[in-house]
Structures are given as structure tokens and as C-alpha cells.
Amino acid sequence: MSVLIRRIPAQGISPLSSPAPRGTILPPYPQRAVRGSLFETCSNPGCASGWLHLWRSRTAPFVEGGWTCSAACTAQRLQAAVARELDGRGGIVETHRHRVPLGLLMLEHGWITAAQLRGALASQREQGSGRLGQWLVAREGVPERLVTRALGLQWSCPVLPLEAHDPEGLAPLLPRLFLDAFGALPLRVAAGRLVYLGFEDRLDPVLALALERISGLRVESGLVQGSLFQPAHARMLQCDFPPVELLEAASAPALVTALTRRIERMRPLDTRMVRVHDCLWVRLWTAPQNGPVPDRAAVQDILCTIASQ
Ligand SMILES: [Zn+2]
């Protein structure tokens, strides 16, 4: 995948601007199948068709919750969305945040001895690979749950359980490529409003926010013990996911043109766009969604990159 925007090596995050309180900014997922009313107005602020569009018979497409009266209006709304995402206005900027080194943190808590830390560091140096936590478990006999607990303290996040995992039911939440590339594992949906997103040893706040914006669900990120995470992650990658298209455009205007063509052809009930690291994730709803997780057949993903950025 080509580089859309130079990624800043990141340890932590900070909001780009002060966001609205959590849970109040997210629109519901599309539940209606047609244009709400004959007199619904075009959602493009620059729409040039005036009152004439009231006579247009089309009931779709919708872009970010708003009906568009023509291909030109779809293109203008997409153009605004692409500009917003490339600007970083829709997301968060990654900044460096100091974290206490894992070995030091475990030493301070009395979970390992100085000799164990020295041994694990030596193994890591000799092999030139692997994370310190893995060497502490493999060579020094440190219980894995203590390493996971320490990672949770390091990231200030909970350690999440992996019980009654339903990978097939959760697969429509995220494209398979993201699970694979960013090491994420949707764990479960609670109360129809909250989704727990698990990681093995480091969180991905950018992916978590993107999922929040696409799904309308609040995302709670946490760590899952590695020996539980790995088999569950491998199982989930075997599931069926919504159809996905990889779209590489030469420029932002070329991307808008390509997306407009697809949206005008498919006439989705809604379209949402969020940036995830170096790519733009566009999700189209082709059928109404009846619960917190869409049906696999009701959504379609387009993962876009721009070559010239
Ligand atoms: Zn219009």
C-alpha cells in the first residue's frame, strides 16, 4: 500500500481540536431504505439545481447521512470529505508520549528481578528480534499475565477477556486488511452501543477512532493476553468479511472522480469516509442496518490510497 501521508512515529495521541463529548457526535447507522421525503433537500451546500431537484425522482445515494440530487453534488460532498480527512480534521494527530519502559515498570512492581530483566535483555540482543515481554516469558519463566498487566499499565488501558468470542458475527465491523495490518481483534459488542477492540501488545488509537466514526459505536480498546490473542486473531482472519475494493488514485481529484462513479452506480443508503493511517476507508451501506453490527451483505468497503501525496 503506498504512502498517503507521511506517518509520524507515534507513541501516543492527542485530539486535534476539542471534540464534542463522547456519544453525542455519532450519527446512527442508516436504517431507512429511501429518501425520507419528497421534499428532502440536497445535502450539498453548493448545490446549483435549486428547487428543480425536488422533481428528481432518485431516492439515493446518501453521502455521510445526506441525500445528493446529482452526480455533481455527490462529487462535491466527496471532495469536501476527502479534503477534511487529508487535513486531519476528522481524526487525531499522533504525538509522542513518554512511556515507562516495560522492564523498569515490572521491576518497580516487583514482578521481575534485576537478573531476569538482564537475562531477557541479553536474549533479545543476541537474537536481534522479539519483544522484551516475550523473552521474559520464554526464557525467564515470568508469567504471561504479569507481562500483559504491565503492558496495560504502560498503555493506561484495561486487559480485556476473550470469552464467548464470535468472530463470524463481528467480522463486518472492520476490513480484514486492517485486522491483519494493525493487529486488531474486535472482541464483543456490549449493550448495542459499545465495542471492545483488543490488541496484543500495543494499542492503535487511530484505528479505534476510525472504527468509532464508521460504526457509530463507542470503542473501548484494551490488551488481550498474547497466548489467547494469537489463535483468536488467526481464527478471525479465516472468517468471511464484507466485499472490499482496493483503490489507488493518482491524486485527490482522481480519487473523488473514481468514488463518485462507484457511488452513483451503487446508490448506497449511506457512505462514510474516515482516514486510517495512510489510507482512506470508505464504507457503503447497500441495505439498511438492523443492529449494531451490519450484515456482511449490507456493506461494502473501499480502501483508498493516493499515490502523489
Ligand atoms: Zn444537489
Side-chain angles (χ1 to χ4, degrees), residues 15 22 70 95 108 116 122 138 140-142 152 154 160-161 192 208 222 246 254 257 269 287 293-294 298 304:
R22 276 191 138 190
S70 64
T95 55
E108 275 173 9
Q116 283 174 316
E140 304 298 326
V142 175
Q154 217 186 9
L160 299 173
L246 303 180
T257 305
L269 306 180
V293 180
C304 318

Side-chain angles (χ1 to χ4, degrees), residues 2 22 40 52 84 93 97 116 210 245 265 295 302:
S2 72
R22 276 191 138 190
E40 181 148 352
L52 272 174
R84 176 195 69 215
V93 284
R97 201 168 88 196
Q116 283 174 316
E245 181 190 0
R265 190 181 66 230
D295 285 340
I302 308 176

Side-chain angles (χ1 to χ4, degrees), residues 9-28:
Q11 295 285 308
I13 57 155
S14 68
L16 191 67
S17 57
S18 39
R22 276 191 138 190
T24 61
I25 51 169
L26 303 170

Side-chain angles (χ1 to χ4, degrees), residues 16-300:
L16 191 67
S17 57
S18 39
R22 276 191 138 190
T24 61
I25 51 169
L26 303 170
Y29 39 80
Q31 288 166 307
R32 61 180 168 184
V34 293
R35 183 179 167 193
S37 120
L38 184 62
F39 297 103
E40 181 148 352
T41 50
C42 178
S43 63
N44 174 25
C47 178
S49 69
W51 52 268
L52 272 174
H53 73 240
L54 295 179
W55 270 261
R56 296 231 163 102
S57 60
R58 69 191 212 156
T59 56
F62 280 77
V63 177
E64 299 193 327
W67 173 72
T68 53
C69 75
S70 64
C73 287
T74 300
Q76 283 183 33
R77 292 225 49 213
L78 287 171
Q79 192 179 7
V82 168
R84 176 195 69 215
E85 294 305 314
L86 296 188
D87 230 23
R89 273 177 287 148
I92 45 180
V93 284
E94 298 166 280
T95 55
H96 180 78
R97 201 168 88 196
H98 178 71
R99 289 181 199 286
V100 183
L102 185 75
L104 214 57
L105 196 149
M106 295 189 74
L107 202 58
E108 275 173 9
H109 280 80
W111 294 340
I112 55 171
T113 64
Q116 283 174 316
L117 178 56
R118 274 197 303 274
L121 285 169
S123 303
Q124 192 184 33
R125 219 173 16 247
E126 279 161 26
Q127 300 295 320
S129 67
R131 296 191 184 282
L132 181 68
Q134 291 165 351
W135 289 116
L136 282 168
V137 174
R139 288 279 171 87
E140 304 298 326
V142 175
E144 190 192 15
R145 62 180 172 78
L146 287 183
V147 172
T148 311
R149 210 167 133 194
L151 287 167
L153 288 175
Q154 217 186 9
W155 285 93
S156 309
C157 74
V159 173
L160 299 173
L162 184 77
E163 49 201 25
H165 192 223
D166 172 22
E168 202 70 56
L170 296 168
L173 279 173
L174 281 168
R176 185 205 312 261
L177 188 74
F178 288 171
L179 262 62
D180 203 9
F182 307 129
L185 180 67
L187 300 172
R188 69 188 175 93
V189 172
R193 296 192 307 271
L194 175 69
V195 57
Y196 289 97
L197 189 61
F199 295 89
E200 187 180 353
D201 51 25
R202 53 179 49 224
L203 303 187
D204 188 335
V206 173
L207 180 66
L209 181 68
L211 175 59
E212 211 162 73
R213 293 175 61 213
I214 284 273
S215 69
L217 300 169
R218 222 189 98 204
V219 175
E220 181 79 55
S221 296
L223 296 171
V224 177
Q225 201 166 305
S227 58
L228 300 174
F229 181 93
Q230 285 158 14
H233 192 245
R235 254 197 318 276
M236 187 147 190
L237 290 177
Q238 301 300 316
C239 292
D240 289 324
F241 285 75
V244 64
E245 181 190 0
L246 303 180
L247 179 60
E248 187 173 341
S251 63
L255 176 63
V256 169
T257 305
L259 285 174
T260 301
R261 204 175 300 134
R262 282 159 180 78
I263 287 167
E264 285 296 314
R265 190 181 66 230
M266 294 175 58
R267 302 276 169 101
L269 306 180
D270 204 6
T271 309
R272 289 182 186 182
M273 178 190 298
V274 298
R275 179 171 152 194
V276 183
H277 297 299
D278 295 338
C279 79
L280 291 178
W281 173 20
V282 178
R283 173 158 275 196
L284 313 179
W285 277 258
T286 51
Q289 182 175 323
N290 300 312
V293 180
D295 285 340
R296 190 161 53 83
V299 290
Q300 198 157 322

